[in-house]
């Protein structure tokens, strides 16, 4: 199967598991109700125990916080909310001492409108930094230069009354798009990369990675003949879905930029391997795979959101996994994600029982998994009262269900007030779930059958088994419709993964596979030899079965 080439010399980002931290919500150490870098340092031992290999930090740069850090006012400093450069240096050092890698969020598409670059750019049409952003004249009738829409609603163009031109913003109007066709912008943003790599950071997660190159002719986007089609694979964005977004993002020139960025990363990788992950919201898998580069010389991994938007049915999930595998060039490394800071937590989407099946899927598929903070304990989204809503996307597009506050609530560490996230007397920046006394790290570490115990066990077996960390993948046909079954192999080691996506018992009959030994069940209550000719899965159960000669 295409993409199943496995190199004996695999790199840390291929063997490892990435853990995404939303810093505002991980741990507050200074009593302001907002998480900080010191709080992450305090929990590095927990992450080491859990068994992850790298942490990815959502933005911690100076920002007006209109979009909670993705509107950046300085790419080479730390916002005082989170600490300072000395704190991030300490975090990198302490992480490396524990063999944890650190990945920073890199936001190349836009800045805050408070960034000094943009303040200069909008000062006058003749300012040297005018062309660092995308400025265009109005049409003769005064309307925007073209029909491009912002993904947060309305036109992607904002009128500037001082200089009498429009500037482009793919998201909020306070987040103007940089002009990557200006060589000075590219060099300045590459200098940002150098700044963080010089400080020992191990990689970048590139935000809005397909956005940075637009059509140089600024042609109108054509209408979408089937606006509901996108919602079927992801979620509705309202009027934004009325267009086919073929000119306002992902111009083919983007690949030259990422080849050059890869060369920069490769130069640093002589010392230690650095990785580039790209946020690519494309569900045409052959097109998505082009971001690896035809010579595997662009992004190490374009992030794959297929499991986030796909209906939670065994056949649909299998179809996504098989399509991803088929789209990969030999040597390209796949990856999967179940949740993140922009999408509902997996336990909310599919329920707590199937969340256990999902975590087994994520941690046993071929490729690099990204685990969103709190998914290891099965945290669910938290309902946000109207007066506590903070997300600007929700405020700008009410009623569409686009608010991201519910999946960004504070980590639940223990049963003390505020779940141990911040002092009892302090109101956390977002509400704590009502069930935090039951759903928290301390309680689940003490429970051998908890979600956390399952995640820990899965990570332990994954790291101990080359077949599960770097082995090949092959889906197994002729199984019940509600089951997804696949084989992971490396040399003589083989594991069968059998997942029941339903609340009914299922019988799997693999007559030619003989016997195996259950190494792990999502119920955490059975092990031992099984006959694969008639193998029963209980409701909402997944099993990892070791094949071949079994050692008692």
């Amino acid at each position: 199967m295409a993409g199943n080439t496995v190199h004996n010399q695999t790199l840390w980002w291929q063997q490892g598991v990435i853990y995404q931290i939303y810093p505002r919500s991980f741990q507050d150490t200074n009593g302001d109700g907002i998480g900080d870098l010191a709080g992450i340092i305090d929990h590095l031992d927990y992450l080491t125990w859990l068994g992850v290999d790298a942490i990815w930090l959502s933005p911690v740069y100076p920002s007006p916080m209109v979009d909670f850090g993705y509107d950046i006012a300085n790419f080479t400093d730390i916002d005082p909310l989170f600490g300072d450069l000395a704190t991030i240096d300490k975090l990198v050092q302490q992480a490396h001492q524990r063999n944890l890698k650190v990945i920073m969020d890199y936001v190349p598409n836009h800045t805050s409108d408070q960034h000094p670059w943009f303040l200069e750019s909008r000062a006058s049409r003749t300012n040297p930094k005018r062309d660092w952003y995308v400025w265009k004249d109005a049409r003769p009738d005064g309307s925007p230069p073209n029909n491009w829409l912002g993904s947060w609603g309305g036109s992607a163009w904002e009128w500037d009354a001082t200089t009498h031109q429009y500037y482009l913003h793919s998201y909020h109007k306070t987040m103007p798009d940089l002009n990557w066709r200006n060589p000075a912008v590219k060099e300045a943003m590459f200098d940002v990369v150098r700044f963080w790599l010089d400080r020992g950071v191990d990689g970048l997660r590139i935000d809005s990675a397909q956005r940075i190159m637009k059509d140089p002719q600024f042609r109108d986007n054509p209408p979408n003949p089937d606006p509901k089609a996108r919602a079927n694979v992801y979620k509705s964005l309202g009027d934004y879905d009325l267009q086919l977004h073929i000119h306002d993002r992902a111009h083919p020139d983007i690949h030259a930029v990422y080849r050059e960025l890869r060369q920069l990363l490769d130069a640093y990788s002589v010392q230690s391997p650095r990785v580039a992950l790209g946020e690519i919201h494309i569900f045409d898998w052959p097109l998505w795979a082009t971001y690896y580069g035809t010579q595997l010389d662009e992004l190490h991994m374009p992030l794959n959101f297929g499991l986030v938007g796909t209906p939670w049915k065994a056949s649909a999930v299998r179809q996504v996994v098989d399509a991803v595998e088929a789209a990969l060039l030999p040597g390209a490394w796949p990856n999967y994600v179940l949740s993140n800071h922009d999408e509902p937590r997996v336990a909310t989407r599919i329920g707590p029982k199937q969340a256990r099946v999902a975590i087994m899927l994520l941690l046993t598929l071929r490729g690099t998994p990204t685990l969103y903070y709190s998914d290891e304990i099965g945290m669910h989204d938290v309902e946000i009262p109207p007066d506590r809503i903070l997300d600007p996307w929700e405020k700008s597009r009410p009623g569409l269900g686009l608010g991201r506050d519910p999946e960004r609530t504070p980590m639940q560490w223990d049963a003390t007030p505020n779940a141990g996230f911040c002092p009892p007397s302090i109101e956390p920046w977002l509400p704590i779930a009502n069930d935090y006394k039951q759903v928290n790290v301390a309680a689940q570490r003490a429970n051998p059958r908890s979600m956390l115990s399952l995640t820990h066990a899965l990570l332990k077996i994954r790291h101990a088994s080359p077949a599960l960390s770097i082995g090949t993948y092959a889906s197994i046909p002729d199984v019940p419709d509600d089951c997804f079954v696949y084989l992971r192999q490396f040399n003589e080691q083989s594991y069968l993964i059998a997942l029941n996506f339903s609340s009914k018992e299922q019988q799997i009959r693999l007559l030619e596979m003989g016997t195996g030994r259950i190494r792990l069940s999502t119920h955490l209550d059975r092990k031992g030899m099984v006959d694969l000719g008639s193998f029963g899965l209980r409701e909402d159960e997944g099993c990892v079965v070791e094949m071949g000669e079994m050692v008692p």
Side-chain angles (χ1 to χ4, degrees):
M1 180 174 292
N4 268 356
T5 300
V6 177
H7 300 287
N8 289 330
Q9 298 298 321
T10 52
L11 300 171
W12 66 261
W13 50 267
Q14 295 172 309
Q15 298 181 47
V17 175
I18 299 169
Y19 186 93
Q20 182 192 356
I21 294 175
Y22 195 68
R24 294 181 71 91
S25 295
F26 205 58
Q27 180 71 67
D28 167 27
T29 63
N30 62 1
D32 62 0
I34 297 172
D36 43 51
L37 293 174
I40 298 172
I41 294 171
D42 285 351
H43 288 293
L44 290 176
D45 286 340
Y46 162 73
L47 297 173
T48 303
W49 167 84
L50 181 61
V52 299
D53 303 275
I55 55 174
W56 150 32
L57 307 180
S58 291
V60 290
Y61 313 103
S63 166
M65 298 295 167
V66 173
D67 191 25
F68 296 104
Y70 282 95
D71 52 319
I72 296 171
N74 185 345
F75 288 106
T76 55
D77 204 351
I78 299 296
D79 194 288
L81 273 174
F82 303 116
D84 53 24
L85 285 173
T87 319
I88 192 73
D89 288 344
K90 180 180 179 182
L91 171 57
V92 172
Q93 178 191 37
Q94 293 283 320
H96 286 172
Q97 288 179 0
R98 294 165 173 81
N99 293 318
L100 288 170
K101 306 295 186 180
V102 178
I103 298 169
M104 295 286 281
D105 223 309
Y106 175 61
V107 185
N109 180 71
H110 51 265
T111 70
S112 165
D113 63 356
Q114 299 304 304
H115 195 293
W117 297 346
F118 188 69
L119 294 177
E120 288 188 51
S121 183
R122 77 185 313 176
S124 72
R125 290 197 185 194
T126 58
N127 189 280
K129 285 193 169 56
R130 183 67 170 183
D131 195 42
W132 281 44
Y133 294 83
V134 182
W135 292 93
K136 289 291 174 186
D137 289 330
R139 288 173 172 170
D141 63 358
S143 62
N146 61 26
N147 73 346
W148 293 359
L149 298 172
S151 61
W152 288 15
S155 173
W157 298 94
E158 182 72 11
W159 179 251
D160 180 66
T162 301
T163 58
H164 296 91
Q165 280 188 315
Y166 283 94
Y167 67 84
L168 180 66
H169 58 92
S170 295
Y171 299 98
H172 196 273
K173 66 181 181 180
T174 63
M175 296 154 64
D177 284 21
L178 286 162
N179 176 19
W180 272 79
R181 295 191 179 278
N182 183 334
V185 169
K186 183 184 70 174
E187 190 56 31
M189 290 304 292
F190 278 17
D191 281 345
V192 170
V193 174
R194 294 182 182 98
F195 177 87
W196 291 108
L197 296 182
D198 285 341
R199 299 189 93 89
V201 167
D202 301 285
L204 308 172
R205 178 267 185 186
I206 304 170
D207 181 69
S208 302
Q210 78 245 42
R211 287 272 190 185
I212 64 172
M213 279 297 202
K214 289 85 170 173
D215 174 32
Q217 299 178 46
F218 294 91
R219 289 170 285 185
D220 280 357
N221 283 325
N224 184 354
D226 187 7
K228 294 183 179 180
R230 185 179 188 276
N232 290 335
V233 297
Y234 215 51
K235 60 185 178 184
S236 173
L237 296 183
D239 291 347
Y240 187 79
D241 292 335
L242 298 178
Q243 294 181 357
L244 293 176
H245 294 274
I246 62 175
H247 294 312
D248 55 356
R249 63 181 186 179
H251 188 275
D253 290 347
I254 200 169
H255 296 287
V257 175
Y258 285 130
R259 281 194 296 273
E260 194 170 345
L261 178 62
R262 174 64 175 271
Q263 291 170 6
L264 171 58
L265 287 166
D266 285 350
Y268 277 85
S269 295
V270 173
Q271 301 168 331
S272 62
R274 314 295 176 100
V275 68
L277 320 174
E279 182 188 23
I280 304 290
H281 287 289
I282 294 175
F283 302 96
D284 174 333
W285 298 114
L287 181 60
W288 165 83
T290 63
Y291 283 82
Y292 286 95
T294 55
Q295 305 298 317
L296 301 184
D297 56 353
E298 295 181 34
L299 300 177
H300 294 92
M301 291 188 295
L303 293 175
N304 164 15
F305 300 97
L307 297 182
V308 174
T310 300
W312 193 250
K313 298 179 180 179
S315 58
V317 171
R318 173 183 170 175
Q319 185 176 14
V320 166
V321 175
D322 286 350
V324 168
E325 287 281 347
L328 295 174
L329 291 171
W333 197 255
N335 67 91
Y336 294 93
V337 59
L338 285 172
S339 308
N340 64 24
H341 61 292
D342 288 332
E343 305 299 334
R345 291 185 175 108
V346 64
T348 295
R349 294 204 314 273
I350 64 177
K353 293 181 180 179
Q354 278 295 308
R356 297 173 75 104
V357 175
I359 202 77
M360 180 171 280
L361 172 76
L362 179 71
L363 296 179
T364 59
L365 281 174
R366 189 175 86 92
T368 301
T370 297
L371 181 64
Y372 185 50
Y373 88 97
S374 82
D375 276 355
E376 75 268 27
I377 59 172
M379 269 178 62
H380 56 77
D381 290 358
V382 178
E383 185 175 351
I384 309 297
D387 62 339
R388 295 289 303 274
I389 292 173
L390 298 175
D391 185 10
W393 200 4
E394 170 73 5
K395 290 181 177 181
S396 66
R397 305 289 280 165
L400 289 181
L402 298 174
R404 300 164 297 175
D405 293 335
E407 59 260 23
R408 296 176 173 183
T409 57
M411 183 67 170
Q412 294 160 200
W413 292 105
D414 56 40
T416 62
N418 288 331
F421 165 72
C422 63
S425 59
I426 301 298
E427 183 177 63
W429 80 286
L430 283 174
I432 305 287
N434 291 331
D435 61 358
Y436 75 90
K437 290 185 179 180
Q438 294 77 41
V439 182
N440 64 68
V441 170
Q444 292 199 16
R445 282 190 76 163
N447 179 357
R449 293 188 182 178
S450 68
M451 180 71 164
L452 181 58
S453 293
L454 172 62
T455 307
H456 177 62
L458 280 164
L459 287 165
K460 189 173 182 179
I461 191 173
R462 176 187 175 89
H463 284 304
S465 310
L468 293 177
S469 59
I470 59 173
T472 59
Y473 159 89
S475 58
I476 304 297
D478 302 323
V479 299
D481 291 342
D482 288 325
C483 294
F484 181 21
V485 182
Y486 49 95
L487 197 64
R488 299 294 313 281
Q489 293 181 290
F490 183 80
N491 293 338
E492 302 304 315
Q493 188 181 71
S494 298
Y495 283 90
L496 184 80
I497 316 300
L499 306 173
N500 181 2
F501 280 58
S502 77
S503 58
K504 298 180 180 179
E505 293 183 12
Q506 302 289 336
Q507 203 70 20
I508 296 174
R509 304 184 187 279
L510 304 173
L511 300 178
E512 297 182 359
M513 286 200 171
T515 60
R517 182 183 296 276
I518 296 177
R519 291 287 304 276
L520 197 61
S521 162
T522 52
H523 294 357
L524 293 174
D525 63 352
R526 69 163 170 164
K527 294 184 178 181
M529 298 296 293
V530 290
D531 179 1
L532 296 175
S534 182
F535 174 38
L537 284 176
R538 293 167 291 177
E539 64 274 12
D540 306 301
E541 183 181 32
C543 286
V544 176
V545 181
E546 189 171 7
M547 310 293 290
E549 290 294 327
M550 297 297 127
V551 178

